[in-house]
């Protein structure tokens, strides 16, 4: 790559959500009708769970409606409306509509409830009071509890276009990560020297331990290549996944890839996806010092308690043997049921 990496310092990576009044997007004014959410500006829930995004009126105008919108910068030029209510009736919209409802804990409550949360539900939501004169809004962030993992093509380093990276994450029980998700993963210990696509079409990599081969002796931080050409440029991917409803288990005899598939099916399961193994490692502390086939043809093993004979690395993580020849009978299988 010929472009220089830009270090994004931690002090300026992003700002936390806040409740603001935006009449013309140029100045901030004190809210009149809506109650600022000083505590619950960020709501956290696991995949498959439920969440309530708070929005409470101080008092009601004579005529008004409340509109809930998911703020997605990728959908430029259009609004992703979730729900509109006038206080007595409401109407859901879009893909989120069937899983959305209003809490209605009291007459002034316009809080939004989302059920059976999915990875894509993560992000910022706007509750907007509209009365034709003094419109105002509060912004709430819904954070899906999860983790980021780097993912590389079986064909080697830097082989994914943006679309291919997005598809690869989906195939491994994930989505392309957001910058906030990557930043959080970096604060939790992710140090990775290969650049990967994020959901907004930008490319980054997180460095905790600066070294010459990974952007030089700059300060620790998120190295950025900024927005890249989604068709011509090729990188790895940073995927985001969360808790699963099933569980991962190991079948221990040496197997070829084909035999590993049959062994899992014999247990009423399937070969695990990469995201499922990472989820088991992160949320269930799954620890196994044996290489096993996964559905993508890679061989990996999860370590929560590092020891010398299990990869020789001092940090916990999911180790990989890459993508071995599928006819080798050297590894077990990680199954998911």
């Amino acid at each position: 790559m010929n472009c220089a990496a830009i270090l994004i310092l931690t002090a300026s990576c992003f700002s936390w959500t806040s409740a603001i009044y935006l009449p013309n997007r140029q100045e901030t004014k004190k809210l009149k009708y809506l109650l600022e959410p000083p505590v619950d500006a960020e709501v956290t829930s696991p995949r498959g769970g439920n969440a309530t995004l708070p929005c409470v009126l101080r008092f009601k105008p004579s005529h008004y409606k409340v509109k809930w919108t998911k703020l997605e910068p990728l959908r430029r030029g259009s609004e992703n409306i979730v729900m509109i209510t006038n206080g007595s009736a409401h109407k859901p919209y879009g893909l989120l509509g069937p899983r959305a409802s209003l809490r209605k804990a009291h007459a002034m409550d316009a809080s939004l409830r989302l059920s059976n949360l999915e990875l894509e539900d993560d992000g910022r939501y706007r509750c907007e009071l509209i009365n034709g004169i003094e419109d105002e809004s509060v912004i709430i962030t819904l954070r899906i509890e999860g983790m980021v993992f780097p993912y590389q093509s079986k064909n080697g380093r830097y082989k994914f276009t943006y679309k291919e990276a997005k598809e690869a994450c989906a195939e491994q029980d994930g989505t392309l990560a957001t910058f906030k998700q990557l930043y959080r993963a970096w604060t939790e210990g992710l140090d990775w020297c290969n650049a990967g696509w994020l959901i907004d079409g930008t490319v980054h990599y997180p460095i905790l331990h600066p070294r010459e081969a990974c952007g030089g002796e700059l300060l620790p931080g998120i190295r950025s290549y900024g927005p890249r050409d989604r068709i011509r440029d090729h990188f790895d991917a940073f995927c985001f996944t969360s808790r699963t409803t099933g569980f991962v288990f190991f079948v221990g005899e040496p197997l070829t890839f084909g035999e590993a598939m049959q062994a899992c099916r014999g247990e009423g399961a399937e070969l695990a996806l990469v995201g499922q193994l990472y989820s088991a490692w992160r949320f269930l502390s799954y620890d196994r010092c044996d290489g096993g086939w996964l559905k993508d043809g890679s061989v990996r093993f999860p370590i929560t308690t590092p020891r010398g004979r299990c990869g020789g690395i001092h940090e916990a993580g999911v180790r990989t043997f890459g993508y071995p020849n599928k006819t080798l009978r050297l590894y077990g299988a990680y199954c998911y049921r």
Side-chain angles (χ1 to χ4, degrees):
M1 281 172 280
N2 295 323
C3 57
I6 303 170
L7 176 64
I8 300 179
L9 297 177
T10 62
S12 59
C13 281
F14 61 83
S15 60
W16 295 102
T17 56
S18 59
I20 53 175
Y21 169 52
L22 296 173
N24 54 18
R25 297 187 179 274
Q26 294 181 348
E27 59 182 273
T28 299
K29 293 184 179 180
K30 187 175 180 179
L31 295 172
K32 178 179 179 180
Y33 297 107
L34 295 175
L35 183 67
E36 295 192 27
V39 176
D40 295 324
E42 181 172 280
V43 176
T44 303
S45 184
R47 174 171 55 179
N50 303 321
T52 299
L53 308 184
C55 184
V56 178
L57 280 64
R58 296 175 185 269
F59 63 92
K60 296 181 180 181
S62 56
H63 300 284
Y64 76 98
K65 61 182 178 180
V66 171
K67 179 171 68 174
W68 275 100
T69 306
K70 188 172 192 295
L71 303 177
E72 294 182 334
L74 296 180
R75 298 193 175 210
R76 292 171 185 166
S78 63
E79 281 193 308
N80 190 13
I81 300 172
V82 179
M83 180 81 69
I84 295 179
T85 178
N86 61 6
S88 58
H90 65 275
K91 183 178 180 180
Y93 291 84
L95 295 176
L96 274 170
R99 295 185 287 114
S101 61
L102 295 174
R103 182 172 62 180
K104 293 185 177 179
H106 49 79
M108 310 297 280
D109 188 13
S111 300
L112 182 70
R113 278 182 169 170
L114 297 175
S115 62
N116 193 22
L117 293 171
E118 300 175 359
L119 297 177
E120 294 83 358
D121 296 341
D122 186 281
R124 297 191 309 144
Y125 292 74
R126 180 176 63 213
C127 174
E128 184 178 12
L129 184 142
I130 302 170
N131 69 355
I133 301 174
E134 295 178 292
D135 300 348
E136 58 187 44
S137 63
V138 293
I139 307 297
I140 308 294
T141 292
L142 172 60
R143 184 171 70 85
I144 303 299
E145 182 185 43
M147 64 161 300
V148 172
F149 63 93
Y151 191 70
Q152 191 174 92
S153 167
K154 63 182 178 181
N155 297 318
R157 183 173 182 256
Y158 294 172
K159 298 296 183 182
F160 291 138
T161 63
Y162 173 82
K163 180 182 177 182
E164 291 167 343
K166 192 173 182 180
E167 291 172 348
C169 288
E171 289 170 358
Q172 300 309 317
D173 192 43
T175 61
L176 274 178
T178 66
F179 181 81
K180 276 191 175 184
Q181 289 165 347
L182 182 65
Y183 178 84
R184 185 179 293 273
W186 173 73
T187 67
E188 295 172 348
L190 182 60
D191 180 276
W192 199 254
C193 200
N194 292 340
W197 291 104
L198 297 183
I199 190 63
D200 62 357
T202 59
V203 174
H204 309 265
Y205 61 101
I207 296 297
L208 277 174
H209 309 292
R211 51 223 188 254
E212 191 59 37
C214 301
E217 298 298 322
L218 299 172
L219 293 173
I222 309 293
R223 311 286 198 258
S224 175
Y225 290 104
R228 308 302 298 171
D229 190 295
R230 299 187 184 197
I231 298 174
R232 292 197 298 265
D233 288 333
H234 293 75
F235 297 94
D236 293 342
F238 285 107
C239 306
F240 177 78
T241 193
S242 184
R243 294 178 181 270
T244 65
T245 56
F247 64 95
V248 174
F249 62 95
F250 184 74
V251 175
E253 58 186 283
L255 303 165
T256 66
F257 177 77
E259 291 168 344
M261 292 181 66
Q262 293 302 318
C264 289
R265 289 172 183 169
E267 298 287 338
E270 295 287 337
L271 276 174
L273 304 176
V274 175
Q276 291 167 343
L277 184 63
Y278 268 98
S279 178
W281 166 73
R282 172 64 179 271
F283 299 110
L284 300 177
S285 300
Y286 191 41
D287 183 286
R288 184 91 196 193
C289 193
D290 299 285
W293 293 103
L294 297 181
K295 194 170 185 178
D296 68 340
S298 66
V299 172
R300 305 172 194 253
F301 61 101
I303 297 296
T304 57
T305 306
R307 55 258 195 209
R309 65 182 183 86
C310 297
I313 301 175
H314 298 297
E315 291 84 16
V318 175
R319 317 282 194 249
T320 179
F321 288 109
Y323 296 86
N325 188 311
K326 292 184 177 181
T327 63
L328 291 176
R329 190 177 281 112
L330 297 175
Y331 310 105
Y334 285 103
C335 307
Y336 177 81
R337 182 172 60 209

